Amino acid sequence: MGKGFYISKPLGFVLFGLGVGAVLTIFALSVVYSQEKRKNEVNARDGTRMVTTAAPHSTSAPSNEPWDKYRLPDTLLPEYYNVTLWPRLVPDEQGMYIFTGKSGVALTCVKETNLIIIHSNELNFTLTSEMHHAKLTGLGGTSAPVILKTWFQIQTQFMVILLKEKLQVGKSYWLYMEFHGELSDDLGGFYRSQYTENGVKKVVATTQMQPTAARNAFPCFDEPSMKAVFHLTLLHSAGTVALANGMELGTENVTIDDQEVLQTRFEPTEKMSTYLLAFVISEFTNLRSPPEANVLIRIWGRREAIESGQGDYALSVTFPILKYLENYYNTTYPLSKSDQVALPDFAAGAMENWGLVTYREQSLFYDPKVSSNEDKEWVVTVITHELAHMWFGNLVTMRWWNDLWLNEGFASYVSYLGADYAEPTWNIKDLMVLQQVQRAFGVDALVSSHPLSSREDEVITPDQIDQLFDTITYSKGAAVLRMLSEFLTESAFAKGLHNYLHEYAYSNTVYTDLWKKLQEVNSSIQLPASINEIMNRWILQMGFPVVTIDTRTGSISQQHFLIQPDAVVDKPSDYNYEWFVPVTWMKSGSNMGQHWLLTKTASYEPMKTDTDWLLANLNVAGYYRVNYDPQNWERLLTQLTNLNMIIHRAQIINITLALRTTKYLYEEKEYIPWESAIRNLEYFFLMFDRTEVYGPLQTYLQRKVKPLFDHFKVITSNWTRKPPRYMDQYNQINAVSMACKTGVKGCSELTRMWYRQWMKNPDSNPIPPNLKITVYCNAIAAGGVEEWDFGWQMFKNSTIAAEAEKLLYGLSCTKEPWLLNRYLEFTIEPNLVRKQDVTFAIVYISGNVIGQPLVWDFVRANWEHITKDYDDGSFFFGRLIQGITKKFSTEFDLQQLQRFKEDIAASSFSFGTQAIEQAIEQTKANIKWVSENKVKLCAFLDFQKN
Ligand SMILES: *[C@@H]1O[C@H](CO)[C@@H](O)[C@H](O)[C@H]1NC(C)=O
Ligand SMILES: *[C@@H]1O[C@H](CO)[C@@H](O)[C@H](O)[C@H]1NC(C)=O
Ligand SMILES: *[C@@H]1O[C@H](CO)[C@@H](O)[C@H](O)[C@H]1NC(C)=O
Ligand SMILES: *[C@@H]1O[C@H](CO)[C@@H](O)[C@H](O)[C@H]1NC(C)=O
Ligand SMILES: *[C@@H]1O[C@H](CO)[C@@H](O)[C@H](O)[C@H]1NC(C)=O
Ligand SMILES: [Zn+2]
């Protein structure tokens, strides 16, 4: 998954109900992630001044020297590394946490060169040979050239070694270095995480290498295709355990520099990419799989969490999921162990390091007494996502980051298959439509979207690589691969995968290698073109089609779907924004078929009908939207409550029709249609919650949701037990949150009663775990400082990550401006809110209609401070900007945004400009939409009153 961008649903589910629409697409678990500090730095030894103030993507390399290019030259290949690292878990005299290291790499020369260029970032080197920062020797009897000079290119993050003579092709050399670096708290590279246990502060040393931070831990050829074997040794103090990708070979006492330390050596890794390396040194304890399992599975975490059973669920599902995936890929898991480690501070949701997967605590830990269903579902899907990478990504790796979408889209897709296997009663596969496909539609309908696949030379700098970890890469990637698997059939898809993994094991590929292996599978399925020709249209051009079916004539056509239909698309496409679309269809519930739409328009007789209803894109298996002639829409609308595949009902609710389709919601009890309706209505709320339409809209929806609320009151025996069906457990959340939001009688009383009971007895929380987010939010919104302070206290005391996150959100719901402002101040105090949670907190507050303007002022006022402390911008600030501008829909908002853009362009902290560009486009679309639809909405609501 990477530092990834992973939308957690836990909060995704509630947002709307609580007037926090803006959170929806924001809860990406990738927050503060720092990987390069842009400072003016002076290389003391060479006196070369490296100016690196500007963000690399806005600065072209000053010259054409190999060290000014961001990509490694193709002259050398690493074979293996011997690395020893020693992180200090107590600060030195200057108060700095550091690590020291020694590393050697065996490299083979494949093209004559007198330069060694190797990645290194923020490491300080010791002189190891005659005043040089490195020592070079020949291997296998070769003699090595003399080093003339070594220096550091700060901007391109290289150490450069100039040799007196050339290295010889075919010969191998050993390059040895000693260095030290800071074990900082920036959540990237080799970093530290902290927590308190029984009043004692504990420090953990851990890593996040993806995409380009292995070079911050030791000098290495830090590109995914530079695979090598790693022999790792870790030094650590008594009382700590050291983990790495390979299994521990043994731990012994050694004395180094008069200090007694433990030395743990690890079995050498398989041939692998640097971004998948990981090491963790901690006082963590573990749970392990039963001895009969042929792969050792361990779940690691804080002692308190493991001892209270928070890792039990992960342990129970990890091995079955691993077995499921072995079977799915028809390929044995290549390592002897699989560790899962929960870290108190972690930027992404989780990271698929080979053999040592790291997680945010809430992605691995689950406490049945305290956590909700979504928390549990999140755990099982994240584990599957990461384990899916063990083969797809780790065993076979993309050649370069431009194919990241294949890696992430694939793991996101497969995570639903594995989770479904682990929890077969949940119907989790149905959720893919809501969680991936519809989410991708949202972003991909903008002109500022981008194609899934980029050219290799468009993604060069660490910033450009970072920016790839977005919704398109994850969710559109998943949606498009799901479509491919559906039209090929799942068994042909899996067979092709197996052949692909088999052929390219331990090496690197480009996406066409997968198409090739899928094409070679003999299957009975007739395709209208090669897989390459079909798929290129989906991955090389941005956006997706809306397929319009006219049942009166049987004509069918496609058009690039845009939120602003008249927006100017300035990115040319070789395919002219036309797709090869697999149109599946069903007529009046029985007659079914599939038709490939290969041109802009076509005529297809079976689509013609005057009496039947026709539904296309069954199960939303295709990555496209569907529109029909008005008559068919009418026929479908009358069928809404009868269509028994609930997922269909979700599909035909489109934004324009959302209002009309909401009319039937009063008799709807199913989760997916409600959730889908709510997500569509969310946009109405975002646009109108500050306007006079808001009141009538609330009243209207109140009537729709009241029956649902009452229904749940009955089936839960007056809120005393869980609904028996899993999807109902989800829908209960919608019922309560929507009821409270629209003021259904009894709702606010219920939530406040629960919260008050909890305040009376903080040690025993009476709130049903699934409803906690809703209850916290509503009770804190209805209450004052006392409720808020209690929530804050509970947040600070919480030892369960999932619980803390819910409170973090609930606290953003208060209606008191001063509390919101104080909360904002708290968020940028690292002692109060973990860095990993800061964007979430800020974006939550901006989802509150009262908090929104406060956040906007706060972010502008603190822009420099935030950009400095939270460092590396693209990803973090992209999410932040998108979150806080989501409600923008007036000319005034637009002007402010434009001024902000100018201001930061003029400052030296010009991060997030791309995100501001997108926000401006979205704001313009919103203004237009509001001007066109407000009157219609008023008329509709007016009419419904009677
Ligand atoms: C690297 O480490 C391995 C395993 O400890 C050892 O066998 C090998 O000799 C080392 N290589 C060099 C060049 O030191
Ligand atoms: C590395 O050197 C720089 C410049 O002398 C210094 O500011 C920095 O603190 C050093 N880092 C470590 C981890 O010692
Ligand atoms: C290291 O030494 C300590 C005491 O000096 C001893 O208790 C411990 O068992 C030793 N550990 C190993 C791995 O030999
Ligand atoms: C699994 O792989 C083996 C060896 O490559 C092959 O012979 C077998 O047919 C595959 N099984 C399935 C179900 O595809
Ligand atoms: C939704 O349906 C309306 C009414 O038929 C149509 O005008 C609109 O284009 C559709 N929107 C989408 C996103 O398909
Ligand atoms: Zn992933």
Side-chain angles (χ1 to χ4, degrees), residues 87-129:
R88 310 300 200 282
L89 303 187
V90 289
D92 63 14
E93 296 92 55
Q94 283 82 45
M96 195 193 273
Y97 287 83
I98 63 148
F99 63 92
T100 51
K102 302 176 194 185
S103 101
V105 51
L107 43 91
T108 302
C109 175
V110 291
K111 271 190 193 168
E112 231 179 39
T113 180
N114 63 344
L115 276 178
I116 298 176
I117 296 187
I118 186 168
H119 283 109
S120 165
N121 190 34
E122 295 186 12
L123 296 174
N124 291 352
F125 286 74
T126 313
L127 300 179
T128 39
S129 71

Side-chain angles (χ1 to χ4, degrees), residues 14 58 71-72 117 201 228 276 325 355 368 378 409 438 456 553 601 654 672 688 712 825-826 856 880 908 918:
V14 255
S58 60
R71 294 294 302 271
L72 289 166
I117 296 187
K201 180 171 129 180
L276 293 167
L325 291 168
W378 178 244
Q438 296 203 347
E456 196 168 326
T553 60
T601 60
N654 80 23
I672 289 192
F688 296 124
F712 277 102
E825 296 293 340
F826 288 178
W856 181 231
L880 190 67
S908 53
Q918 286 178 355

Side-chain angles (χ1 to χ4, degrees), residues 189-235:
F190 201 8
Y191 74 94
R192 69 177 200 274
S193 169
Q194 271 163 221
Y195 62 98
T196 312
E197 198 163 75
N198 301 325
V200 182
K201 180 171 129 180
K202 309 273 180 180
V203 176
V204 180
T206 184
T207 56
Q208 170 60 38
M209 305 307 198
Q210 194 189 31
T212 57
R215 63 190 70 166
N216 291 33
F218 66 98
C220 56
F221 295 90
D222 198 11
E223 292 191 356
S225 66
M226 293 286 178
K227 290 195 174 183
V229 170
F230 296 84
H231 301 257
L232 195 78
T233 303
L234 292 173
L235 299 171

